[in-house]
Amino acid sequence: MGTLFGTDGVRGIANYELTPELAFELGRAGATVLSKNNKHTLFIVGKDTRKSGDMLDNALCAGILSVGGNVIKVGVLPTPAVAYLTRYYGADAGVVISASHNPFEYNGIKFFNGDGYKLDDLIEEKIEDIIARSINVASNITGDGIGQCLREEASATDLYCDYLLTTIDERLDGMTVALDCANGAAFQTAPKVYRALGANVHVIGNEPDGVNINRDIGSTHPEKLQKLVKEVGADVGMAYDGDADRLIVVDENGNVIDGDQTICICAKMLKDQGKLEGNRVTTTVMSNIGFHKYCKEVIGCNVDVTQVGDRYVIESMRETGSMVGGEQSGHIIFAEYTTTGDGTLSSLQFVKAMLNSGKKASELASEIELFPQVLVNARVDNEKKKAFMHKDEIRDPEISGAVKEVEQKLEGEGRVLVRVSGTEPLVRVTIEGKDIDVIKEMAEDLAVLISRKYS
């Protein structure tokens, strides 16, 4: 991994770290690397609802056009919609301007290849190399060689929603669904799909103003959705993040069902339907111990474990043929339908699991016993962060020693996971164990030690 790209594209504070100049260079270098030697490559470009999206969209597209690439701008749409539309239009690549669950002042740029998958590390390194060496890849492109913005043949929103409707063969008449769209990219698409299926829909987080995306709402802040579910008597609630590639479910009692539980529930549905190819599920090192127990003891399947990041989950799934995988945070991939995490599609699969089982959301979730887990973020200096770990190994002897002490205290009935955030100036400390108060104190002590040495 280079210096620009993190675990999910290039991300930073808009107009400070992620400037229009950098967006232009990313567009120019990305179009060059992904061109496949075509005279006019085709890029699909979408964005979430952040105020900075227009600025970065125009700069990025200018870079693409300057090296002969053509662009179809699809406007505000979920990240998975751009991945789908890239395949639909037979484009060379897709680009999403979004910082996912981060606050509005951040933004990001992430690429998809022509098959709708996120780029692997080697491709990202080629893009970075062009930028780092200030190679003028557009020096000989003039006249007819310059690209242009094309008009899409149909409404991108309608194309994506129509596709989502093909992934569920059930009607939702009589079901009450509460949706939290995080004032982000799903604010139009998710309600439209659920209403088309006949559900009685209640929505919050569907009034974006450019600065309220993810603000105390969405998959990282489900409290308002929990309250709404109970107020309207919803059968289930669905919370998405800013770019709508994550899903957090809320049951009919207002309790949160996280990504681990949702994956388990959907994997069991696939197993019951005879669709769990290879009898395997894919997850990351962040998955709860209870996830592994349920997969092994109830579903009777194997679990493949990857490093954190849905791109790594997807890479593993493509190698093994796994049909479902994802992250505790709510990125869930259904290989039959999509090439990346899709919050709305995942929520439809969860609803399908409810209907097929005849059980309430709370009943399905209660079958998966999760160990208490605490996550504490240690704020660090971005430059120092890079020296903290190497290939998941902590370089600092004092901190690695402190981690070993905590592991000994857990006595095999818990675990410690320390990892560097790929998108923020943070080191994340996660501890699982039986006693929530004990592990919380342990995590906070480790976070304080890390911040003191690396901030």
Side-chain angles (χ1 to χ4, degrees):
M1 192 75 66
T3 57
L4 287 178
F5 286 89
T7 54
D8 199 18
V10 178
R11 204 172 288 188
I13 296 175
N15 214 30
Y16 175 65
E17 295 167 314
L18 182 53
T19 62
E21 292 82 1
L22 178 55
F24 177 84
E25 293 296 336
L26 284 165
R28 193 159 67 167
T32 300
V33 171
L34 298 167
S35 68
K36 298 180 182 178
N37 296 318
N38 296 336
K39 181 179 179 181
H40 289 298
T41 55
L42 178 59
F43 280 69
I44 309 299
V45 179
K47 60 188 175 184
D48 66 21
T49 57
R50 292 164 212 269
K51 189 174 185 180
S52 60
D54 291 344
M55 173 186 73
L56 296 171
D57 185 1
N58 289 319
L60 173 89
C61 290
I64 295 171
L65 301 179
S66 74
V67 292
N70 289 334
V71 171
I72 295 179
K73 290 188 174 188
V74 296
V76 173
L77 276 179
T79 285
V82 175
Y84 168 71
L85 292 168
T86 298
R87 302 194 306 276
Y88 175 86
Y89 282 110
D92 296 273
V95 192
V96 180
I97 300 166
S98 172
S100 188
H101 63 286
N102 291 151
F104 91 95
E105 61 266 25
Y106 286 82
N107 217 322
I109 293 174
K110 49 189 170 186
F111 291 84
F112 290 99
N113 65 23
D115 295 320
Y117 292 101
K118 292 178 181 178
L119 305 185
D120 62 38
D121 291 348
L122 291 177
I123 300 298
E124 289 182 344
E125 287 169 7
K126 289 180 180 179
I127 295 172
E128 284 198 13
D129 183 61
I130 290 174
I131 296 172
R133 293 197 288 150
S134 299
I135 300 173
N136 187 358
V137 291
S139 59
N140 297 318
I141 298 176
T142 59
D144 186 51
I146 297 172
Q148 60 185 332
C149 288
L150 307 176
R151 186 180 299 274
E152 62 207 70
E153 65 184 57
S155 167
T157 298
D158 290 341
L159 288 172
Y160 174 59
C161 289
D162 288 346
Y163 175 70
L164 288 176
L165 291 171
T166 69
T167 67
I168 182 169
D169 52 5
E170 307 275 359
R171 291 285 302 172
L172 306 186
D173 301 288
M175 177 177 279
T176 298
V177 178
L179 301 178
D180 178 353
C181 299
N183 290 315
F187 82 100
Q188 292 178 307
T189 53
K192 182 174 183 177
V193 167
Y194 274 95
R195 287 177 177 134
L197 291 169
N200 177 26
V201 181
H202 297 266
V203 191
I204 57 175
N206 62 333
E207 298 180 349
D209 61 9
V211 300
N212 62 358
I213 185 171
N214 299 319
R215 184 194 292 164
D216 300 323
I217 203 164
S219 62
T220 54
H221 299 282
E223 298 82 11
K224 291 180 181 177
L225 179 63
Q226 292 174 273
K227 181 180 178 182
L228 177 65
V229 166
K230 290 189 287 186
E231 284 179 349
V232 303
D235 297 289
V236 67
M238 308 295 188
Y240 312 114
D241 64 336
D243 69 334
D245 63 353
R246 296 190 190 196
L247 165 71
I248 293 296
V249 180
V250 172
D251 72 19
E252 75 282 0
N253 299 317
N255 298 315
V256 170
I257 301 175
D258 73 4
D260 276 353
Q261 293 170 298
T262 301
I263 295 167
C264 285
I265 291 165
C266 291
K268 187 176 187 302
M269 173 186 70
L270 293 176
K271 180 68 177 288
D272 292 343
Q273 294 175 340
K275 293 183 177 180
L276 196 65
E277 297 293 333
N279 201 34
R280 65 201 318 140
V281 176
T282 310
T283 189
T284 75
V285 293
M286 290 294 292
S287 63
N288 194 279
I289 295 173
F291 175 99
H292 293 265
K293 288 186 64 178
Y294 184 84
C295 287
K296 181 180 180 180
E297 298 173 6
V298 179
I299 302 177
C301 67
N302 299 314
V303 178
D304 297 321
V305 179
T306 76
Q307 66 188 92
V308 174
D310 65 320
R311 58 184 291 189
Y312 301 112
V313 173
I314 295 165
E315 286 176 7
S316 176
M317 290 174 67
R318 295 179 70 187
E319 291 174 2
T320 65
S322 173
M323 296 303 292
V324 64
E327 298 184 282
Q328 185 185 61
S329 61
H331 286 122
I332 306 174
I333 301 94
F334 292 87
E336 180 180 358
Y337 301 116
T338 187
T339 57
T340 190
D342 188 325
T344 308
L345 188 149
S346 298
S347 67
L348 293 173
Q349 297 306 302
F350 185 90
V351 168
K352 189 190 296 187
M354 287 177 59
L355 295 174
N356 288 356
S357 68
K359 297 179 180 179
K360 296 179 180 180
S362 63
E363 294 173 322
L364 290 173
S366 68
E367 296 173 1
I368 305 124
E369 183 181 357
L370 299 181
F371 277 48
Q373 188 179 75
V374 171
L375 169 63
V376 179
N377 290 322
R379 187 157 292 277
V380 297
D381 180 86
N382 235 353
E383 292 303 314
K384 293 180 181 179
K385 178 184 77 172
K386 297 169 186 175
F388 180 76
M389 297 186 77
H390 178 66
K391 294 183 178 179
D392 297 327
E393 183 176 341
I394 299 172
R395 290 177 167 179
D396 188 307
E398 181 182 2
I399 294 173
S400 61
V403 170
K404 289 178 182 177
E405 285 183 18
V406 172
E407 290 173 335
Q408 290 171 356
K409 291 177 181 177
L410 292 171
E411 298 179 336
E413 295 189 337
R415 62 174 185 144
V416 182
L417 179 65
V418 178
R419 69 181 187 89
V420 174
S421 170
T423 59
E424 298 177 83
L426 302 172
V427 172
R428 306 192 191 279
V429 179
T430 303
I431 301 183
E432 279 180 12
K434 289 187 173 181
D435 190 320
I436 186 70
D437 293 327
V438 171
I439 62 174
K440 182 178 180 182
E441 183 178 352
M442 290 174 170
E444 289 173 346
D445 288 346
L446 279 176
V448 168
L449 175 62
I450 294 168
S451 289
R452 177 171 57 82
K453 296 195 72 175
Y454 288 87
S455 61

